[in-house]
Amino acid sequence: MSLQSTIETHVKAAVAEIYKAELPAVEFQATRKEFEGDITVVVFPMLRVVKGNPVQIGTKIGEYLVAQVEEITAFNVVKGFLNLVVADAFYMNAFAEIQATENFGKTPEAGKAVMVEYSSPNTNKPLHLGHVRNVLLGYAVSEIIKAAGSKVYKTQIINDRGIHICKSMLAWERYGNGETPESTGLKGDKLVGNYYVKFDQEYKKEVAALVAQGKSEEEAKKEAPLLLEAQEMLRKWEAGDAETVALWKKMNQWVYDGFEVTYKNIGVDFDSYYYESNTYLLGKDNIEEGLKKGVFEKDPDGSVWCDLTEDGLDRKIVLRADGTAVYMTQDIGTAIQRVKDHPDVGGMIYTVGNEQDYHFQVLFLILKKLGYDWAENLFHLSYGMVDLPSGKMKSREGTVVDADDLINEVAATAGEISEELGKLDGYTDEEKKALYKKIGLGALKYYILKVDPKKRILFDPKESVDFQGNTGPFIQYTYVRIQAILRKAKELNVPASVEEARDLHPKEKELIKLVQDYPATIQLAAAQKSPAIIANYTYDLVKEYNSFFQQVQILGTDNVADQSFRVALSKEVGQVIESAFGLLGIDVPERM
């Protein structure tokens, strides 16, 4: 039983004995820094069942707890808050348990699996800054849920068909002169992306020419020869025209090869891939099944709808009058197919921007109405836009912040700052390059993941690589400091061990308390699907460690038992930093 549960049991017993009343629950909070104590019982909610002065009630309960609970050594009451002092022995025992626990913080796998979808790009352009937030969030949430005890499948659906894909194909066919990633030295996704931009430029010229001939802008946009040709290409693709399909396969492969390089660079992976070209016809059978069940209704023109007005939503089309699917149809079919492919999946998480909030509300509700039990466990990991100091991004105009360029930029910025600090004597150029990338990527990932997913982010590369404050490099630097202490301790033959019971320095106690919170923090982050909870916990731990480092002598003390304990405590903090950053997909360097 945890200390909190023990205290709760005894608080309820105290209220029953002293006030002859039954307390339904006990509210706790962390003790505020300015008061003595380790855990605080909030008295105010008790006033619903116990009448009296909160200070007197708190005092009587405090006296009862000191008499009955071995771990509680003292108390104080401030207004309606009962601050309890927990014995050092309790924290020493807790620390011994932490040391003895393999993979501390993580829970063994049990129960149903969770499928997490993220990235899901289009194959007509490279990954950009918006994808970076998506990919980092999806990957981190996958790792956190895995650490909390669930099996996880990481997947994506690649939007590899449609008019936008045909636009880049047509532009390459017309203006590409046969160039390839090999002949140009460009990554395949960049090459194809250039032709998407080229299509837009040439299309705008045609529209302008038609307007000059007297057409309205709306007419010109619909009648521009390039667009008509792209539409014809899409029809040929859908009809399975061999030449069109061959070109589509060739250019898509260039893009996939390019994406793989970016994913590897950014440090994320996937267990499976779904392609819209394989899934866009899925879902039609499910619409038939839904019609039989009365979940859907057919209009006189033959179109099929789902009426969600009683659920506070609207009527949603799921099949057009001509029998063709809409996005919703595909998403219904793909969700059902994924569970067929992975029968142990009991829920799914979709990492998609907040402009799709309504779409997912509708999708999840339809799947529930169709009677799938796993539909109760669907979650839209909705996130806000990423802005840059220079403003919004537009892919077809080529004003997008490319993911690869961003990775290079943060690594270069990390390099500049590290050179200024001048701490890398004895490093080869290769070692420096690898370290700058580790610091730069850590900075980028932490800057994005420390923010609640729902909030919009203004990303400033320079600010992200600061070595002070709530940043990735600051936390990496603290980890490096701990590794230096451990190396020095090894040289001095100081063991990282705890030989005896001891009185704890307040800073030691605070650190043990924070380390002890790590498993519960993982569970909370998994429940809320928020890597920000892990990021900010790690920052709090690092701040506390730095305060400990400044106020307590670690290897500088003559007391061997103190040295050993503080080295052991430092080692444990280092392991938690490394583990927590691992959940965020961030590497920690051994030296900086």
Side-chain angles (χ1 to χ4, degrees), residues 368-436:
K368 278 182 198 171
K369 285 181 184 291
L370 287 171
Y372 295 101
D373 55 356
W374 44 264
E376 297 295 328
N377 303 311
L378 297 175
F379 184 83
H380 175 204
L381 179 51
S382 172
Y383 62 90
M385 292 266 304
V386 184
D387 299 312
L388 284 150
S390 58
K392 272 182 103 168
M393 305 182 291
K394 290 179 184 159
S395 348
R396 57 180 178 274
E397 290 168 18
T399 58
V400 159
V401 178
D402 182 278
D404 299 306
D405 294 345
L406 184 63
I407 293 166
N408 293 335
E409 187 185 337
V410 288
T413 306
E416 285 164 24
I417 293 173
S418 300
E419 294 288 351
E420 279 168 27
L421 295 173
K423 293 178 180 176
L424 291 174
D425 300 341
Y427 272 63
T428 66
D429 286 347
E430 276 307 301
E431 286 170 332
K432 283 183 182 179
K433 196 175 167 188
L435 178 63
Y436 298 156

Side-chain angles (χ1 to χ4, degrees), residues 358-378:
Y358 186 75
H359 175 83
F360 284 102
Q361 267 184 291
V362 171
L363 173 66
F364 297 168
L365 189 52
I366 289 175
L367 287 165
K368 278 182 198 171
K369 285 181 184 291
L370 287 171
Y372 295 101
D373 55 356
W374 44 264
E376 297 295 328
N377 303 311
L378 297 175

Side-chain angles (χ1 to χ4, degrees), residues 127 135 257-270 273 404 407 437 441 445 587:
L127 300 171
V135 165
D257 294 344
F259 285 170
E260 276 312 305
V261 172
T262 307
Y263 291 141
K264 196 173 173 196
N265 258 333
I266 210 164
V268 300
D269 59 0
F270 299 90
Y273 296 82
D404 299 306
I407 293 166
K437 187 180 172 191
L441 263 182
K445 291 180 178 185
D587 290 330

Side-chain angles (χ1 to χ4, degrees), residues 78 90 118 133 187 236 290 394 405 416:
V78 180
F90 169 79
Y118 57 96
R133 186 174 198 187
K187 271 172 85 234
K236 282 183 175 177
K394 290 179 184 159
D405 294 345
E416 285 164 24

Side-chain angles (χ1 to χ4, degrees), residues 244-313:
T244 307
V245 169
L247 175 63
W248 170 77
K249 281 184 176 169
K250 176 168 76 173
M251 290 183 71
N252 271 353
Q253 195 55 54
W254 291 348
V255 175
Y256 300 144
D257 294 344
F259 285 170
E260 276 312 305
V261 172
T262 307
Y263 291 141
K264 196 173 173 196
N265 258 333
I266 210 164
V268 300
D269 59 0
F270 299 90
D271 301 307
S272 65
Y273 296 82
Y274 286 81
Y275 298 88
E276 203 183 300
S277 53
N278 296 330
T279 65
Y280 81 109
L281 298 175
L282 282 179
K284 287 189 176 184
D285 295 347
N286 309 112
I287 303 303
E288 279 305 314
E289 175 199 330
L291 276 167
K292 285 176 197 155
K293 285 184 176 176
V295 174
F296 304 131
E297 56 195 28
K298 194 174 269 193
D299 273 13
D301 67 355
S303 58
V304 181
W305 296 73
C306 187
D307 188 353
L308 302 170
T309 47
E310 283 187 10
D311 301 280
L313 305 177

